[in-house]
């Protein structure tokens, strides 16, 4: 009896859901498809996040290509420098 | 005029007139009453024809903050129909993409500490190095400021006896050349000339040395072409090269040179170079087409010396400057009396003066010389004045002044004038006894005279006939600089080995087999001697950024004959060895020498004892000896026997002048210099043919019309610019533009007027001018950032923005400026007493302020260039300047007064006035601009949201808005390239798009002084801070400091009787004081009611 009532209730819910699905016009996604889509979305996101975007950006290297070195033989001025910073 | 009577000006607003018609002189009904009105007031200030003639478009622009079209709303109908749902879907998708993209945001690098910090570098503290500028032949002493090893600023070396701490705009902006991303970074060769393939230096040496040896052994000439040689070690090196390669010959060439002046001097006095002049001792100066304050000679020195007698407070009497010229130059527009005369009539004018002074007024014994009197008898100054419509009154003043100041006056003839004019001028100076102003014991050193026309012709001829085996362009560009009728570019193609040593590709490098990149002046060793009383040193402050070598090192390697001879230190050792036997020969022993050497590098200059030799030898100096011209005697026969004569042409005269910012064109790829307004016309990014108002009328031309200029040298199509103050029949064109081969910034900017040069004529020649029918837009900043007051024309006068008087008036009554204000009625005074809504903040400690002396300011723009470099001002490009978007924090306002035919000019630097009641601060909705306790009107860039209310509310129009990230926008983002980022001054924020900016009084320098004061436990000393513009000002027109320091120079100037504040009546309490301009004229200024 109880089983009967439960099956009935379940059928009702399924019917309601079906009706609702019909109202929105979308079809029910299969369980397998859901996992397929979810898996590819995760894979896509991982790929996207790990895409080297700098590949598309202007080629500003992280490390400077021009090395600044003071000339060791130049003599720094120690007198007569204006005090303007 | 009493306050509030605006009807007259409102009426002007209502008039609609066609200014092109007025310039042409086509007066239709209604225009007559306007023209006389604008010319009747004296002074009636105006900046352009559009302003003078009330062009309705200009009046409308003045009323509107933004140019037409800038604020146009987009057409909403053209928008796509986009659903809300789709928009939200795309928004969320793009947000997700953006969020993911940010996870790998472009890394701009990390700031990491030095592992091994160089001993000389302290993070945050700058280092200074003495060196020498090689921007031109003047070789001024410089101090290079480096931060963390990067040169970021160049200023003058105060120890240098000539430049005395000052340099020109080219020197200031030269730091951009070091970091120019378009510099050559590797040697390249092009066997087919023009093709390009990077090669190594070893390959270069391996390929070139055998070819040079082969050329020498086969008797073929090796030509080395340089600019002026003013380095003793370089001269020695070139001499050694000619010893090793005996067929080598040195040629030197300068587009702008002193040849006519020097050859005239030689004919008159026997010695080869014109002596140095004590400009500061001259009480009367007559400039004959001589722009000694602008582009001629060593302007850094002459403008400093000249301005020493333009100081109302140093006790010196004002000098009096007369100018007679056909072009409108900086010197002419600064003159007390300016006479406009066609350039080719100047010689006749000098002859008339000579006849008047020596013949009629018998000022010297020359009048009794039969030859002299015969030669002068036909010249009459009165008739000349009538013929050329010159003011007889001014000529009378001039003659009286010259007569009265014999021995303390100086007549300067311009470099464009021919030798015959210079001979006449030498004679006039001699007759007046002005030779007393020549410096006897110090003279210019000439290591190697410039090549003559015949020498250059012979070189080209030898190239054509295959007698030249190799040509080495030693940092020279004859394909661009030499007159085309030499045929150099064609001839060089026939030379089997063409080598060009250059910093960047240019016109001659594209015709070369080998293009070898050389170090800039910041990476080079060198020594210089421009005068016989001192030497100066150049030292590299940074190791070469790229795979470049110093040009002298390249030659030195070839002298040694093997690639293995090269090392990075070879030219330093060479200079040191040379100095052991020359400049520092008195310091024997290594230890003593090294001590002296380091001291010399510290100071940048070393004094030398002049060696006096007799004038009879007449030899030019060698690398080890120097000559001094002793008292030479004038040879009258040089004047009487001179048969050449400058005859005024019935046609037009072309004057080819040096560019005030680009020089001879070497600096065309420097954006800062391209964007620096020309001092007179305020034109940027172009050159043009300047013509007079009368010529424009006669030829039916207006500014921007294209004309064809035809000379004996060539043909050029170029736009005209109607320039007030140019003589009728004169066409003036600046050289240095129209580079066909250079970097992206300078390529094809302007017009190559070198095409008009001919080897047979100088910088002045006859020209035919013909309207072609087309137009080309020239951009001038002269109307930008006008003080907008739609009700007032003549606002500069009525609001007393420029205040002037005469020197005589000032001497009679030093308080004359204040006395003028007594004509206010009580009602007007009451109106002026309207208080401010702000409460006055009492600055008890330091209060920063500035004073600008308009008597000393020549409008040269050096301050603008210095400000650009110090404050990381971006280059915006011609299109943005057209839209009033130049970013300069300081501008020079140039006001004309008088008539377009005979204008007077006043120059006024205008920058943020740091008002006590700054109107910009009240309107900022986010408090991005605020006031500091020491009186600085500051900007918090990261707070600014870009409403531009502050700019709108600023009465001085000195705020600049970043409409774009100009660094990114300009010329393929060249300013964002890696090397350019190294140029930025780290003490000044690089501003972003959408942010307002303006002068900060060089706040970073103030902060450094504050830091020093804290470290030394003392009060801030105002005079310790020097702003960038102040340091750069050649004439010391700018003073800066603490206004509360009663002992300071600034305090004295602020309280002087000449002090005034621009728009004082607006009650914003500006902190920049201007000192009224005094003209040293005989007439008292006719001043109308000023209010």
């Amino acid at each position: 009896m109880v089983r009967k009532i439960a099956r009935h209730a379940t059928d009702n819910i399924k019917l309601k859901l079906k009706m609702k699905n019909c109202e929105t016009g979308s079809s029910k996604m299969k369980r397998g498809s859901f996992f397929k889509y979810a898996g590819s979305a995760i894979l896509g996101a991982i790929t996207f996040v790990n895409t080297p975007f700098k590949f598309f950006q202007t080629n500003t290297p992280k490390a400077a290509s021009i090395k600044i070195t003071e000339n060791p033989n130049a003599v720094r001025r120690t007198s007569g420098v204006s005090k303007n910073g | 005029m009493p306050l509030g009577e605006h009807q007259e000006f409102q009426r002007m607003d209502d008039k609609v007139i066609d200014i092109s018609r007025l310039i042409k002189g086509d007066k239709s009904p209604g225009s007559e009453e306007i023209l006389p009105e604008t010319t009747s007031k004296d002074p009636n200030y105006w900046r352009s024809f559009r302003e003078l003639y009330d062009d309705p478009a200009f009046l409308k622009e003045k009323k509107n903050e933004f140019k037409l079209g800038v604020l146009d709303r987009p057409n909403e109908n053209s928008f796509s129909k986009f659903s809300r749902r789709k928009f939200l879907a795309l928004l969320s998708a793009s947000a997700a993409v953006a969020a993911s993209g940010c996870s790998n945001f472009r890394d701009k690098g990390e700031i990491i500490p030095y592992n091994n910090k160089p001993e000389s570098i302290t993070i945050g503290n700058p280092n200074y190095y003495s060196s020498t500028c090689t921007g031109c032949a003047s070789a001024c002493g410089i101090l290079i400021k480096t931060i963390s090893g990067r040169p970021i600023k160049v200023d003058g070396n105060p120890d240098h006896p000539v430049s005395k701490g000052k340099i020109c705009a080219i020197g200031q902006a030269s730091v951009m050349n070091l970091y120019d991303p378009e510099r050559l970074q590797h040697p390249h060769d092009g066997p087919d000339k023009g093709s390009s393939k990077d090669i190594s230096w070893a390959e270069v040496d391996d390929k070139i040395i055998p070819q040079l040896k082969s050329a020498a052994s086969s008797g073929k000439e090796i030509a080395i072409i340089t600019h002026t040689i003013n380095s003793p070690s370089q001269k020695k090196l070139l001499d050694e090269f000619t010893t090793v390669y005996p067929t080598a010959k040195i040629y030197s060439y300068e587009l702008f040179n002193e040849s006519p002046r020097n050859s005239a001097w030689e004919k008159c006095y026997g010695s080869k170079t014109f002596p140095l002049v004590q400009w500061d001792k001259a009480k009367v100066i007559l400039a004959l087409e001589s722009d000694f304050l602008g582009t001629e000679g060593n302007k850094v020195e002459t403008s400093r010396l000249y301005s020493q007698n333009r100081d109302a407070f140093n006790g010196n009497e004002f000098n009096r400057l007369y100018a007679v010229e056909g072009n409108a130059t900086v010197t002419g527009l600064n003159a007390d009396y300016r006479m406009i005369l066609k350039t080719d009539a100047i010689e006749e004018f000098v002859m008339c003066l000579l006849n008047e002074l020596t013949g009629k007024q018998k000022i010297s014994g020359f009048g009794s010389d039969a030859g002299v009197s015969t030669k002068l008898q036909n010249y009459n100054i009165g008739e000349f004045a009538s013929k050329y419509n010159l003011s007889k009154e001014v000529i009378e003043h001039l003659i009286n002044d010259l007569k009265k100041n014999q021995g303390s006056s100086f007549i300067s003839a311009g470099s464009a004038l021919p030798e015959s004019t210079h001979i006449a001028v030498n004679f006039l100076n001699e007759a007046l006894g002005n030779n007393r102003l020549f410096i006897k014991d110090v003279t210019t050193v000439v290591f190697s005279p410039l090549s003559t026309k015949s020498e250059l012709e012979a070189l080209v001829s030898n190239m054509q006939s295959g007698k030249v085996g190799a040509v080495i362009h030693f940092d020279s560009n004859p394909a661009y600089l030499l007159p085309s009728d030499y045929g150099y570019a064609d001839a060089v193609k026939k030379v089997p080995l063409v080598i060009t040593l250059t910093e960047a590709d240019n016109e001659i490098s594209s015709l070369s087999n080998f293009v070898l990149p050389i170090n800039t002046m910041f990476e080079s060793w060198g020594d210089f001697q421009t005068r016989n009383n001192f030497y100066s040193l150049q030292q590299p402050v940074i190791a070469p950024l790229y795979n470049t070598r110093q040009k002298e090192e390249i030659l030195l390697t070839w002298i040694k004959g093997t690639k293995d001879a090269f090392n990075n230190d070879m030219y330093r050792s060479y200079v040191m060895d040379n100095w052991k036997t020359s400049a520092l020969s008195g310091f024997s022993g290594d230890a003593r020498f090294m001590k002296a050497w380091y001291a010399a590098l510290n100071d940048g200059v070393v004094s030398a004892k002049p060696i006096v030799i007799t004038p009879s030898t007449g030899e030019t100096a060698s690398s080890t000896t120097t000559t001094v011209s002793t008292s030479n005697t004038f040879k009258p026969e040089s004047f009487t026997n001179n048969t050449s004569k400058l005859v005024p042409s019935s046609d037009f005269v072309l004057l080819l002048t040096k560019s005030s910012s680009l020089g001879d064109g070497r600096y065309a790829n420097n954006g800062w210099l391209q964007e620096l307004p020309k001092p007179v016309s305020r034109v940027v990014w172009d050159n043009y043919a300047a013509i007079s108002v009368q010529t424009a009328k006669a030829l039916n031309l207006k500014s921007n019309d294209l004309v064809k200029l035809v000379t004996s040298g060539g043909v050029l199509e170029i736009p005209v610019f109607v320039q007030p103050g140019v003589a009728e029949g004169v066409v003036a064109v600046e050289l240095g533009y129209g580079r066909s081969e250079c970097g992206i910034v300078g390529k094809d900017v302007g017009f190559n007027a070198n095409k008009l040069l001919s080897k047979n004529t100088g910088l002045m020649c006859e020209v035919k001018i013909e309207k072609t029918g087309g137009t080309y837009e020239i951009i001038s900043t002269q109307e930008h950032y006008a003080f907008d007051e739609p009700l007032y024309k003549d606002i500069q006068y009525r609001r007393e923005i420029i205040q002037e008087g005469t020197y005589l008036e000032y001497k009679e009554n030093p308080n004359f400026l204040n006395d003028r204000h007594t004509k206010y009625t009580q009602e007007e005074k009451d109106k002026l007493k309207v208080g401010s809504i702000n409460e006055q903040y009492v600055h008890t400690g330091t209060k920063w302020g500035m004073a600008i002396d308009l008597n000393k300011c020549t409008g040269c723009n050096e301050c603008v260039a210095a400000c650009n470099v110090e404050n990381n001002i971006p280059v915006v490009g011609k299109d943005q300047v057209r839209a009033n978007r130049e970013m300069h924090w300081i501008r020079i306002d140039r006001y004309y007064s008088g008539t377009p035919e005979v204008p007077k000019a006043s120059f006024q630097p205008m920058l943020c006035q740091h008002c006590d009641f700054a109107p910009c601060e009240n309107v900022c909705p986010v408090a991005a601009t605020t006031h500091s306790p020491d009186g600085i009107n500051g900007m918090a860039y990261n707070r600014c949201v870009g409403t531009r209310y502050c700019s709108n509310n600023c009465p001085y129009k000195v705020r600049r808005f970043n409409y774009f990230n100009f660094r990114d926008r300009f010329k393929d983002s060249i300013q964002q390239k890696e090397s350019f980022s190294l140029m930025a001054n780290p003490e000044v924020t690089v501003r972003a798009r959408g942010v307002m900016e303006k002068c900060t009084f060089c706040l970073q320098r103030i902060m450094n002084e504050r830091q020093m004061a804290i470290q030394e436990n003392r009060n801030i000393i105002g005079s310790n801070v020097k702003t960038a513009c102040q340091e750069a000002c050649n004439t010391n027109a700018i003073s800066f400091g603490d206004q509360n320091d009663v002992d300071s120079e600034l305090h004295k100037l602020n309280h002087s009787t000449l002090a005034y504040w621009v728009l004082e009546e607006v009650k914003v309490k500006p902190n920049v004081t201007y000192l009224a301009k005094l003209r040293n004229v005989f007439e008292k200024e006719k001043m109308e009611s000023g209010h």
Side-chain angles (χ1 to χ4, degrees), chain B residues 59-274:
Chain B
L59 294 174
K60 196 174 172 189
E61 281 168 23
K62 267 174 57 168
K63 284 178 191 166
N64 295 324
E65 182 187 355
F66 304 106
K67 276 215 148 186
L68 201 62
V70 171
L71 296 179
D72 281 355
R73 286 185 66 79
N75 181 7
E76 290 176 14
N77 293 328
S78 65
F79 293 169
S80 65
K81 307 294 174 209
F82 204 59
S83 74
R84 183 172 169 271
R85 180 166 290 199
K86 204 177 264 181
F87 168 75
L88 287 172
L90 278 173
L91 182 71
S92 49
S94 54
V97 170
S100 310
C102 287
S103 68
N104 198 354
F105 183 69
R106 179 168 57 175
D107 193 342
K108 290 182 175 172
E110 292 166 1
I111 299 173
I112 47 172
Y114 285 108
N115 279 340
N116 293 305
K117 187 179 79 64
E119 192 187 348
S120 59
I121 290 179
T122 305
I123 305 295
N125 283 356
N127 284 337
Y128 292 86
Y129 296 88
S130 307
S131 193
T132 303
C133 177
T134 48
C136 70
S138 295
C140 294
I142 52 174
L143 278 189
I144 302 170
K145 178 181 180 179
T146 69
I147 292 188
S148 303
R150 295 183 290 120
I152 56 149
K153 183 83 172 59
V154 178
D155 276 305
N157 180 355
D159 293 337
H160 195 273
V162 177
S163 54
K164 299 222 173 187
K166 306 292 176 183
I167 51 163
C168 67
I170 287 178
Q172 293 278 355
S174 59
V175 72
M176 189 177 257
N177 290 49
L178 168 68
Y179 297 109
D180 186 349
E182 294 182 285
R183 273 180 67 189
L184 289 172
Q185 301 185 10
H186 304 279
H188 61 87
D189 72 346
D192 303 325
K193 291 184 182 174
S195 65
S196 175
K197 182 165 66 76
D198 283 357
I199 53 171
S200 69
W201 281 104
E203 281 178 278
V204 166
D205 294 336
D206 279 343
K207 286 180 177 175
I208 290 177
I209 292 170
Q211 290 190 63
L212 290 176
K213 285 180 177 168
S214 157
S217 59
S218 60
K220 292 205 168 179
E221 183 180 330
I222 300 170
I224 300 181
I225 299 164
T226 78
H227 285 292
T228 302
I229 300 166
N230 49 13
S231 160
S233 296
Q234 191 190 77
K235 170 73 171 123
K236 187 171 174 238
L237 177 79
L238 290 170
D239 288 344
E240 281 180 21
F241 191 90
T242 53
T243 310
V244 174
Y245 300 96
T247 57
K249 272 185 85 175
I250 315 294
Y251 299 87
S252 52
Y253 176 75
E254 289 288 346
L255 182 55
F256 299 100
N257 58 63
E258 302 289 309
S259 295
R261 182 177 286 133
N262 287 335
S263 61
W265 184 259
E266 190 179 4
K267 284 187 177 167
C268 295
Y269 292 94
S271 55
K272 292 202 176 207
T273 50
F274 193 83

Side-chain angles (χ1 to χ4, degrees), chain B residues 1011-1023:
Chain B
Q1011 187 69 27
M1012 290 300 293
I1014 292 168
Q1015 279 177 22
E1016 294 169 12
N1017 195 24
R1018 58 168 171 83
N1019 289 330
I1020 290 170
I1021 301 169
S1023 57

Side-chain angles (χ1 to χ4, degrees), chain B residues 128-424:
Chain B
Y128 292 86
Y129 296 88
S130 307
S131 193
T132 303
C133 177
T134 48
C136 70
S138 295
C140 294
I142 52 174
L143 278 189
I144 302 170
K145 178 181 180 179
T146 69
I147 292 188
S148 303
R150 295 183 290 120
I152 56 149
K153 183 83 172 59
V154 178
D155 276 305
N157 180 355
D159 293 337
H160 195 273
V162 177
S163 54
K164 299 222 173 187
K166 306 292 176 183
I167 51 163
C168 67
I170 287 178
Q172 293 278 355
S174 59
V175 72
M176 189 177 257
N177 290 49
L178 168 68
Y179 297 109
D180 186 349
E182 294 182 285
R183 273 180 67 189
L184 289 172
Q185 301 185 10
H186 304 279
H188 61 87
D189 72 346
D192 303 325
K193 291 184 182 174
S195 65
S196 175
K197 182 165 66 76
D198 283 357
I199 53 171
S200 69
W201 281 104
E203 281 178 278
V204 166
D205 294 336
D206 279 343
K207 286 180 177 175
I208 290 177
I209 292 170
Q211 290 190 63
L212 290 176
K213 285 180 177 168
S214 157
S217 59
S218 60
K220 292 205 168 179
E221 183 180 330
I222 300 170
I224 300 181
I225 299 164
T226 78
H227 285 292
T228 302
I229 300 166
N230 49 13
S231 160
S233 296
Q234 191 190 77
K235 170 73 171 123
K236 187 171 174 238
L237 177 79
L238 290 170
D239 288 344
E240 281 180 21
F241 191 90
T242 53
T243 310
V244 174
Y245 300 96
T247 57
K249 272 185 85 175
I250 315 294
Y251 299 87
S252 52
Y253 176 75
E254 289 288 346
L255 182 55
F256 299 100
N257 58 63
E258 302 289 309
S259 295
R261 182 177 286 133
N262 287 335
S263 61
W265 184 259
E266 190 179 4
K267 284 187 177 167
C268 295
Y269 292 94
S271 55
K272 292 202 176 207
T273 50
F274 193 83
L276 299 164
V277 180
Q278 300 178 78
W279 293 88
D280 52 332
K281 300 279 192 316
K283 290 178 184 166
V284 175
I285 300 168
L286 169 60
L288 302 168
E289 204 68 64
S290 166
D291 190 15
F292 65 88
L293 294 177
T295 54
E296 277 189 14
N298 190 336
K299 61 164 275 197
V300 173
E301 183 187 30
T302 44
S303 46
R304 174 175 54 78
L305 293 172
Y306 163 82
S307 68
Q308 283 178 14
N309 294 328
R310 286 274 152 177
D311 189 327
F313 312 108
N314 67 357
N316 292 356
E317 282 283 307
F318 265 37
N319 54 21
R320 183 170 292 126
L321 174 59
Y322 293 85
V324 180
E325 59 184 13
N327 190 13
T329 66
V330 174
T331 306
L333 292 178
N334 275 286
D336 299 300
Y337 289 108
R338 178 169 184 267
M339 286 183 279
I340 301 170
L341 183 63
K342 203 174 162 207
T343 311
D344 57 7
I346 285 178
E347 187 171 313
E348 194 180 336
F349 175 71
V350 179
M351 300 299 260
C352 293
L353 278 182
L354 272 168
N355 191 28
E356 182 67 26
L357 289 164
T358 61
K360 293 182 184 171
Q361 308 212 18
K362 312 279 181 206
I363 58 159
S364 70
F366 291 111
S368 55
D369 183 305
V372 171
S373 55
T374 310
K375 186 153 186 176
L376 294 175
Q377 64 188 355
N378 295 328
Y379 294 99
N380 182 294
I381 192 75
E383 288 171 12
F384 183 85
S386 305
K387 184 174 157 190
Y388 288 98
N389 199 22
L390 299 181
S391 163
K392 287 186 179 168
E393 195 185 356
V394 174
I395 290 178
E396 199 180 324
H397 288 320
L398 171 65
I399 290 169
N400 288 339
D401 262 343
L402 290 176
K403 202 175 157 190
K404 195 173 145 195
N405 293 286
Q406 291 178 52
S408 56
S409 58
F410 181 63
I411 295 122
S412 170
S415 308
L417 295 170
E419 186 192 271
S420 56
T421 313
H422 282 277
I423 289 175

Side-chain angles (χ1 to χ4, degrees), chain B residues 848-861:
Chain B
W848 299 103
M850 182 178 276
I852 300 176
D853 191 343
L854 298 184
N855 290 306
K856 292 181 181 174
C857 176
T858 60
C860 66
N861 271 333

Side-chain angles (χ1 to χ4, degrees), chain A residues 44-45 48-55 57-85, chain B residues 97 100 106-107 120-121 126-130 143 145-146 148-149 157 159 525 539-540 542-543 545-546 569 572 598 601-603 978-979 982 1005 1008 1024 1026 1031:
Chain A
F48 192 74
V49 165
N50 289 309
T51 303
F53 281 93
K54 64 183 173 187
F55 180 74
Q57 291 165 350
T58 48
N59 51 345
T60 306
K62 187 174 175 181
S65 65
I66 303 171
K67 302 289 176 204
I68 300 293
T69 320
E70 285 208 322
N71 192 302
N73 292 313
V75 175
R76 195 158 44 117
R77 193 172 163 103
T78 52
S79 61
V81 177
S82 57
K83 295 174 185 174
N84 57 25
Chain B
V97 170
S100 310
R106 179 168 57 175
D107 193 342
S120 59
I121 290 179
N127 284 337
Y128 292 86
Y129 296 88
S130 307
L143 278 189
K145 178 181 180 179
T146 69
S148 303
N157 180 355
D159 293 337
W525 286 99
Q539 58 179 329
I542 185 171
L545 291 180
Y546 306 115
D569 206 28
R572 170 178 167 266
Y598 288 135
L601 284 173
N602 179 76
D603 296 346
E978 186 191 358
S979 60
L982 298 169
R1005 298 185 176 205
N1008 282 328
N1024 280 355
K1026 285 189 167 46
E1031 269 199 318

Side-chain angles (χ1 to χ4, degrees), chain B residues 993-1052:
Chain B
R993 175 185 166 184
V995 170
M996 188 62 76
E997 61 183 67
K998 47 120 228 161
C999 163
T1000 62
F1001 269 170
C1002 287
L1003 189 65
Q1004 63 282 5
R1005 298 185 176 205
I1006 291 173
M1007 297 307 282
N1008 282 328
E1009 166 59 14
R1010 182 183 293 175
Q1011 187 69 27
M1012 290 300 293
I1014 292 168
Q1015 279 177 22
E1016 294 169 12
N1017 195 24
R1018 58 168 171 83
N1019 289 330
I1020 290 170
I1021 301 169
S1023 57
N1024 280 355
V1025 181
K1026 285 189 167 46
T1027 60
C1029 53
Q1030 178 191 16
E1031 269 199 318
C1033 182
N1034 288 338
T1035 58
N1036 294 311
I1038 300 175
S1039 304
F1040 182 78
D1042 178 7
Q1043 295 184 74
N1044 286 343
D1045 179 0
V1046 290
D1047 299 323
S1048 70
E1049 177 74 11
L1050 181 72
H1051 189 271
K1052 192 180 88 179

